[in-house]
Amino acid sequence: MKVVGGSASLPLARALARELAVPFVDASFEKHAGGFPDGERYVRLLDSVAGEHVVLVQTTHPDPMIVEYFLLADAVRDAGATHLTAIVPYFGYGRQDKRFTEGEAVSAKTLAKHIALDADELLTMTIHNPDILAMFPIRAREVSGIPALGRYLKSVGVDLILAPDDNAVRLAKEAAAIAGTPYDYLDKERLDSYTVRVTPKELKVRGKSVAIVDDVISTGGTISTAAKELKAQGATRVLATCVHGLFVGRAEENLKVCDEVVATDTIASAHTKVSVAPEFARALRELMG
Ligand code: R5P
């Protein structure tokens, strides 16, 4: 087995190769220094993968990383790999998981169909809607990224874990079991892509340290609304934690209400503090029997 990493996921791919104790295959992503003037992607594998089972790790965000995934997968196949496991740590377009309005593309399905072209199976992490897995024409599994956050929260010590909405309750419950804390949740209503409203609820957090756990932080609107509620109810410390940290738009400003922001390495950012390499290594070992 050998591990190949796309440029969106190099630290995680290297960490995974170390966890599995298998070689990491370097690749080059620029034909000329500075890349192509029109922004097109380029990939070249710098070591042989002939006859190998290749694990290709590439988050599909931002959009050029999707093209890079296709180039890498095709190059791996052309170079004679006998088996390809795709690891897509953050599956972009997962939130367009149905046709909300007639005529729309079901973007999650579009991505699934094309990612599957060169792959024998897929592992992805903490997805918005697990039903998306059925859209892949190959074996596809969801791996939880929550244990990485749970371990961190156990090490720093928090009094309560909070899900900012219904969708995150399963995540908060899993993190709480690992961190050894109770958990609670808020009811959230999304007004538009940037604005959310939470239903007032007494949380018993006065003087406490609370971690909010979510799958994704995008604009930070969800987390900051929950964090303001916690602070208003007397929480002394609020940690914002997520598996996938997109941090788009005014996210950094919105998140200033939080005392700490923690994300995993499914998307590399200034807030990446924990690695999900052990989670993917375990899932791969299970997959391979
Ligand atoms: C929504 O259901 C997701 O779980 C996240 O809560 C949401 O994507 C976060 O987005 P934002 O940071 O823009 O509020």
Side-chain angles (χ1 to χ4, degrees):
M1 181 184 282
K2 289 187 175 180
V3 176
V4 173
S7 63
S9 299
L10 285 173
L12 173 54
R14 286 203 179 94
L16 179 63
R18 280 195 300 275
E19 282 281 333
L20 294 167
V22 302
F24 177 79
V25 176
D26 275 313
S28 117
F29 298 100
E30 288 182 352
K31 188 161 185 137
H32 312 289
F36 291 128
D38 55 8
E40 285 184 355
R41 305 305 300 165
Y42 167 88
V43 306
R44 179 176 164 231
L45 301 173
L46 298 177
D47 199 357
S48 169
V49 294
E52 296 285 349
H53 172 180
V54 169
V55 178
L56 170 57
V57 188
Q58 173 76 323
T59 270
T60 54
H61 171 86
D63 281 4
M65 298 300 108
I66 299 172
V67 176
E68 209 183 89
Y69 169 87
F70 295 146
L71 300 180
L72 282 167
D74 204 27
V76 163
R77 284 300 194 189
D78 284 351
T82 48
H83 195 95
L84 197 160
T85 303
I87 294 191
V88 177
Y90 171 66
F91 179 66
Y93 290 90
R95 286 174 286 182
Q96 181 72 15
D97 55 357
K98 62 179 178 195
R99 216 177 308 283
F100 296 90
T101 306
E102 191 54 32
E104 283 181 350
V106 182
S107 313
K109 176 176 70 66
T110 311
L111 269 263
K113 188 166 80 176
H114 290 91
I115 285 172
L117 271 179
D118 279 310
D120 293 294
E121 69 260 321
L122 169 122
L123 295 178
T124 187
M125 182 158 272
T126 310
I127 44 178
H128 187 64
N129 171 8
D131 292 347
I132 287 169
L133 298 174
M135 296 177 179
F136 283 87
I138 52 173
R139 182 162 61 149
R141 276 197 200 168
E142 181 191 32
V143 179
S144 177
I146 294 298
L149 296 175
R151 289 192 295 272
Y152 182 85
L153 294 175
K154 188 172 185 181
S155 75
V156 296
V158 292
D159 300 309
L160 178 77
I161 289 178
L162 184 80
D165 56 26
D166 278 12
N167 204 39
V169 173
R170 70 177 175 124
L171 313 179
K173 192 175 173 185
E174 187 183 349
I178 296 164
T181 65
Y183 71 94
D184 206 338
Y185 65 94
L186 286 172
D187 284 316
K188 175 184 91 176
E189 184 190 352
R190 181 165 287 285
L191 305 177
D192 60 42
S193 293
Y194 297 92
T195 329
V196 298
R197 185 166 53 204
V198 294
T199 309
K201 174 180 178 185
E202 201 191 327
L203 289 164
K204 297 195 177 73
V205 291
R206 185 156 303 281
K208 297 205 168 145
S209 169
V210 184
I212 307 168
V213 173
D214 209 348
D215 55 347
V216 177
I217 297 180
S218 180
T219 66
T222 299
I223 291 270
S224 65
T225 305
K228 281 179 198 151
E229 184 64 25
L230 288 167
K231 291 268 170 138
Q233 293 195 32
T236 44
R237 186 167 164 77
V238 175
L239 289 82
T241 73
C242 65
V243 177
H244 312 296
L246 289 166
F247 306 117
V248 301
R250 294 162 62 89
E252 296 302 337
E253 203 176 320
N254 289 339
L255 292 167
K256 279 187 182 144
V257 61
C258 302
D259 298 284
E260 188 179 351
V261 181
V262 181
T264 78
D265 53 358
T266 62
I267 301 171
S269 78
H271 302 296
T272 297
K273 293 183 183 160
V274 295
S275 179
V276 293
E279 278 59 53
F280 278 123
R282 193 175 312 116
L284 260 174
R285 287 191 193 105
E286 282 171 15
L287 202 70
M288 295 308 130

